[in-house]
Amino acid sequence: MAKKKHKNPALSNERPTWGLIEKLVLWSKCAGRCELCNQLLYENKYTKDIVNLGNLAHIIAHSNNGPRPDDTLPQEYKSSIANIILLCNDCHTTVDTLEKKYTVAVLRSIKKSHEDKIRFQTAPTLDGKRRIFLFTASIAGQAPIIDINEARDAMFPEQYAADENIILGVQSPFQSELQNGFWDNAKRQIDLEFNRSIYQDLRHCPKIGVFAIAPMPLLIYLGWKIGDKYDCQVFQRHRHQDNPWKWPSASENEKHFDIIAPTNEQLASATSQSVVRLAISVSFDIRPRIQKYHASSDLLWEIRAWEEMSTEYVSSPTQLAEFRKAVHTVLNDISQQCGRRPIHLYLSVPVSLAVTLGMSILPKATSEIIIHDYVKTEDKDVEAITINFNDGI
């Protein structure tokens, strides 16, 4: 009589089947090793032959007659790849034979521990990772949204996104920036989140990629809170690109910035009542707007786009570095000419420049800065946020 061939339950036709991608994902999570004994599942450990030794073992039995059954769970879950642990044949036989020892909770714990260990050990090193920092606040009552997947794609392949992100969304009870208390409320929220967790997060992983959409004063204040202590790469959203946050390839003729300072005659005629203003025109020319409340004795510094102004003026991180140099030059000049006199700031710039501007403000070398917000409906600038020496970073 012919010997009855043993039927491996792992190969039963009655068991569910999974797609190639599902199986590849599971094998990848396990690094091709048994999740219990860590044996390689693509190589015979004695002969070194390349063979498939992996068993897709159910944690909760597929049928109520198998090991670790649970008739309260839907069949859909019991048939899913999430209910599978990858084992060698010996470990598969062991866990199904000793089901009282290898309970559902034990096998889930073994699976999680093994897959977490593989993910940790094979993750990019700290040098290759950058933590995504998303910052949003409503603009004219509209809440912006930043797609986290677009942010990841914007850094790849030069940088990999770290597993944990920093997400800061300013929630406001106010309908618009025009209401009393809007700016103070937003500033308090930013301060609270930085003091509560963000500074600690930055110390743990000091390389960050900033993706932000918010009113200009809040973008500057965010940059000020981040400061210059961290390896921070600021991103800019670009229209008409498949990946809107990815920096375009740097061009040979990158656009830069021009600085216009008060003349010697204007500096000589300034009085103690003269107001110091800094206007930054990159997206649009705001000089005509500022001149409406600029007295003859006031002192005006300007940073302007070198070429034609545009909301798409910034196209590479190199321009951010050039802008930062321009800001340092202007703030140093103001300090030398005007001492600690407050600086009234007005600007029309892309978001990346606003964040970079805030990062460029040195707390021990810069005067108090009063950031103005332009109210288009009323065609005027109003004081929004003040950065002073009591604002710690």
Side-chain angles (χ1 to χ4, degrees), residues 75-271:
Q75 193 63 40
E76 182 181 4
Y77 172 77
K78 290 190 283 187
S79 299
S80 71
I81 200 75
N83 185 40
I84 295 298
I85 183 171
L86 185 62
L87 301 173
C88 65
N89 189 65
D90 289 349
C91 287
H92 190 179
T93 302
T94 299
V95 302
D96 283 359
T97 302
L98 305 177
E99 62 177 294
K100 290 185 179 179
K101 176 179 179 180
Y102 295 97
T103 63
V104 170
V106 168
L107 290 181
R108 283 176 173 169
S109 177
I110 290 171
K111 175 180 174 69
K112 184 178 187 305
S113 176
H114 178 83
E115 294 176 14
D116 285 353
K117 178 176 67 176
I118 296 300
R119 187 180 183 93
F120 175 78
Q121 291 178 340
T122 58
T125 62
L126 188 61
D127 288 341
K129 292 195 296 185
R130 188 175 294 273
R131 177 172 286 185
I132 292 175
F133 191 145
L134 301 186
F135 176 72
T136 56
S138 63
I139 302 174
Q142 300 296 317
I145 298 175
I146 301 176
D147 189 325
I148 186 69
N149 293 317
E150 291 181 348
R152 292 192 185 101
D153 290 344
M155 295 195 300
F156 183 82
E158 293 82 6
Q159 296 284 335
Y160 293 89
D163 291 335
E164 296 181 359
N165 307 313
I166 300 174
I167 300 177
L168 174 54
V170 174
Q171 305 298 321
S172 177
F174 303 96
Q175 295 295 320
S176 75
E177 300 93 309
L178 297 178
Q179 291 182 272
N180 291 332
F182 175 90
W183 299 108
D184 287 341
N185 174 73
K187 185 178 177 181
R188 280 195 301 270
Q189 286 189 51
I190 295 172
D191 289 340
L192 177 63
E193 292 303 318
F194 267 83
N195 294 333
R196 182 163 57 187
S197 62
I198 293 178
Y199 281 133
Q200 182 176 351
D201 289 341
L202 293 177
R203 284 191 291 269
H204 175 66
C205 184
K207 297 183 69 173
I208 57 174
V210 175
F211 300 80
I213 302 177
M216 289 290 128
L218 296 185
L219 293 172
I220 297 170
Y221 194 66
L222 171 71
W224 155 256
K225 297 297 288 188
I226 294 173
D228 63 350
K229 300 177 182 178
Y230 311 104
D231 181 345
C232 179
Q233 183 176 0
V234 181
F235 288 81
Q236 171 71 43
R237 194 175 194 282
H238 309 275
R239 297 183 177 92
H240 315 303
Q241 287 189 180
D242 292 337
N243 185 344
W245 287 98
K246 191 169 185 66
W247 284 109
S249 299
S251 64
E252 295 181 359
N253 300 314
E254 289 178 333
K255 304 170 184 177
H256 299 299
F257 308 93
D258 191 17
I259 296 173
I260 302 175
T263 64
N264 291 333
E265 291 77 9
Q266 290 171 327
L267 290 169
S269 62
T271 69

Side-chain angles (χ1 to χ4, degrees), residues 2-20:
K3 185 177 180 181
K4 185 177 181 180
K5 188 176 181 180
H6 175 70
K7 188 176 183 180
N8 187 336
L11 304 177
S12 170
N13 290 330
E14 298 176 358
R15 293 165 63 84
T17 58
W18 301 278
L20 177 61

